[in-house]
Amino acid sequence: MDLLKQYDMESYLLVNRYSSSYKGIFNSYLSGKDVYNILYSLPIAVHEMTHLYNNTSMIKTQEMPMSIPGFSGIPLFTKSVTRRIPSAFEVEEYNEILNNTNSAGDKNFLNTVYKNNSRLNKFELTNAYKGQISKLVMILEKAGYYKDQDQASEEKEVPQGEMKYYISNSEEHKVKMTKIFLTKEIAKTIPAELSNYEYSRYDVYINSPSTTLTAQGKGIYGLMDEWCAFYNGSRTAVKMLPYFKEKLPQNENTWRWYFKTTNWHYWSYYDMKYYIYKYLLFAKDNYPDTYRAIKSNDNFIQTFKELDNKWLALMSEFTEVINETYGYLTSMGYKVIEGERITTIRKDGKSLGLLNFNFIVKKLKTELGKNIYQDLL
């Protein structure tokens, strides 16, 4: 909280809206970590608190397994119903989860979080899950762990309701939901080059089997909720530059963490906006009544445009921050080389490579510039 108050007042005011119990949830993302992991987790925590604010009316708390200390009754904010994190798997069930998990990285994560207790013939949850609840739930979702729950609650249309979008402390945007369709219907319209790449969010938000994920079950209104949450998290990441320069050792490790923190967030401006436009285009072609209702939703359009303007200002600031950082590193004797995928920082024979997402940003910029998207709203 103190870091936010000093460096990102908007996010501080967001978190400060909540009761002490919800602030405790925010702090749980940061507890037990060193300063680098705290700085990395801070934008993620702000992202999740944005979901909590935007979706206050739909949050339902369910009791987590009692074997998980400190997490009883804590909601996962990106869901319209709370997921239960299994405290243990039978060996056969765990092996099935692994078989249904395609990514080697996700399998390694599961094998870190769950450890085999040969005495009980079970795989039990360890403390390695802490601070990574969202990641664990998403992996289990993709593996089909929650499919029975989802099938029982699946609906083709979500009842009308209202969404709130936190853009700044002085701007509370309330938007009534109109008729929507599940986001996964647009999955087949997104080409492989814009969906099948390293760290793509396509499987998480677009091609997800879950209907309780807000970005899925609330259609375009859920996608904008996600875009809003990424904006707040990205702003926090950008605002932390002075702390990295003034409070931390000036070495490769510090800047590795800085770029790891900022690079992951900023490019969400492009992919989430692209998904919103693809949803609108699909609606226009396949559900004209739904499309007309969205386009006639003045509060939605106003909020979209306001959020887009905020994002554009942040992207300009991000560019300035990156240029300032490169200049700062150069003044300290580093050589910085920015490529299509990797930014390399070199000094005294040491080289550090950092994924920068320029390759997909370039493709998304080109796609978003096409005429088919210009008059959708």
Side-chain angles (χ1 to χ4, degrees):
M1 288 289 288
D2 290 340
L3 280 174
L4 286 182
K5 188 174 183 180
Q6 185 174 357
Y7 294 100
D8 184 10
M9 181 57 70
E10 290 291 356
S11 290
Y12 171 78
L13 292 171
L14 167 65
V15 177
N16 208 42
R17 286 171 175 254
Y18 300 111
S19 65
S20 58
S21 60
Y22 280 123
K23 289 176 187 174
I25 297 170
F26 173 82
N27 289 330
S28 72
Y29 280 88
L30 313 177
S31 64
K33 297 180 178 179
D34 62 28
V35 64
Y36 292 110
N37 275 290
I38 286 175
L39 290 165
Y40 178 75
S41 299
L42 197 58
I44 298 171
V46 169
H47 178 117
E48 295 296 343
M49 296 304 278
T50 303
H51 283 306
L52 175 58
Y53 173 84
N54 290 352
N55 297 278
T56 300
S57 61
M58 72 172 190
I59 289 177
K60 302 174 184 177
T61 57
Q62 295 177 358
E63 189 174 330
M64 294 291 192
M66 293 305 292
S67 60
I68 306 179
F71 278 85
S72 177
I74 292 178
L76 180 64
F77 306 137
T78 55
K79 308 296 174 186
S80 58
V81 295
T82 304
R83 294 306 202 189
R84 292 178 181 270
I85 300 173
S87 57
F89 284 106
E90 299 293 337
V91 171
E92 184 177 347
E93 185 181 17
Y94 183 74
N95 287 334
E96 183 180 355
I97 292 290
L98 283 182
N99 289 336
N100 291 336
T101 301
N102 296 323
S103 164
D106 288 350
K107 287 183 179 181
N108 289 335
F109 178 76
L110 286 173
N111 286 329
T112 300
V113 171
Y114 287 95
K115 293 298 183 183
N116 187 11
N117 185 330
S118 56
R119 183 176 61 84
L120 297 178
N121 200 30
K122 290 184 178 181
F123 281 83
E124 295 184 328
L125 187 67
T126 69
N127 286 332
Y129 79 94
K130 286 188 174 181
Q132 303 189 81
I133 301 174
S134 296
K135 180 178 180 179
L136 176 56
V137 169
M138 287 176 184
I139 292 173
L140 292 176
E141 279 187 337
K142 286 192 286 185
Y145 176 74
Y146 300 107
K147 63 183 178 181
D148 292 337
Q149 175 184 332
D150 289 344
Q151 287 169 358
S153 63
E154 182 168 350
E155 297 177 358
K156 286 297 181 183
E157 295 178 7
V158 174
Q160 291 188 19
E162 186 179 78
M163 292 283 289
K164 294 190 299 182
Y165 298 95
Y166 183 93
I167 299 176
S168 74
N169 188 58
S170 60
E171 298 173 79
E172 176 178 287
H173 291 264
K174 293 183 178 180
V175 177
K176 282 195 173 183
M177 290 177 58
T178 55
K179 183 178 178 181
I180 57 94
F181 53 88
L182 294 176
T183 301
K184 63 185 175 184
E185 289 196 46
I186 75 171
K188 60 182 178 290
T189 71
I190 297 177
E193 67 172 351
L194 295 177
S195 61
N196 186 22
Y197 56 89
E198 190 176 14
Y199 298 110
S200 169
R201 298 183 177 104
Y202 170 82
D203 283 334
V204 175
Y205 299 117
I206 306 303
N207 201 33
S208 169
S210 170
T211 58
T212 58
L213 186 73
T214 305
Q216 189 63 238
K218 290 200 168 187
I220 194 167
Y221 299 97
L223 288 173
M224 192 157 76
D225 165 55
E226 201 64 54
W227 198 38
C228 180
F230 272 115
Y231 165 73
N232 286 316
S234 298
R235 186 190 59 241
T236 298
V238 169
K239 296 294 186 184
M240 287 296 117
L241 175 61
Y243 188 92
F244 279 85
K245 288 174 64 175
E246 299 165 9
K247 305 294 185 181
L248 297 174
Q250 297 304 288
N251 55 35
E252 290 86 352
N253 189 49
T254 291
W255 294 105
R256 176 175 72 88
W257 278 100
Y258 177 72
F259 285 109
K260 181 180 178 181
T261 300
T262 54
N263 287 353
W264 170 247
H265 292 272
Y266 88 96
W267 66 283
S268 57
Y269 168 72
Y270 299 101
D271 66 344
M272 297 310 299
K273 184 177 182 179
Y274 171 62
Y275 296 150
I276 289 170
Y277 276 156
K278 290 296 285 186
Y279 190 101
L280 287 166
L281 191 62
F282 190 87
K284 184 179 180 181
D285 293 341
N286 297 276
Y287 299 104
D289 289 344
T290 299
Y291 173 69
R292 282 191 290 270
I294 295 170
K295 194 168 183 180
S296 299
N297 192 338
D298 292 340
N299 285 344
F300 172 80
I301 294 174
Q302 179 186 351
T303 302
F304 175 88
K305 290 181 177 179
E306 178 65 25
L307 184 55
D308 192 40
N309 287 335
K310 290 286 188 180
W311 258 115
L312 289 172
L314 182 64
M315 296 302 288
S316 178
E317 182 178 353
F318 175 77
T319 300
E320 292 177 5
V321 163
I322 289 298
N323 290 337
E324 178 186 344
T325 306
Y326 288 169
Y328 178 69
L329 289 171
T330 300
S331 71
M332 292 194 298
Y334 290 93
K335 184 176 182 179
V336 182
I337 305 170
E338 187 175 66
E340 283 293 299
R341 288 178 175 266
I342 302 294
T343 296
T344 305
I345 302 173
R346 294 175 181 168
K347 184 179 181 182
D348 299 333
K350 296 180 180 179
S351 182
L352 179 66
L354 302 157
L355 188 65
N356 59 28
F357 298 102
N358 287 347
F359 69 100
I360 190 59
V361 167
K362 184 177 179 179
K363 289 181 179 180
L364 287 167
K365 277 185 174 180
T366 300
E367 180 68 21
L368 288 168
K370 292 180 178 178
N371 289 334
I372 56 173
Y373 303 113
Q374 304 314 309
D375 297 318
L376 287 172
L377 285 177

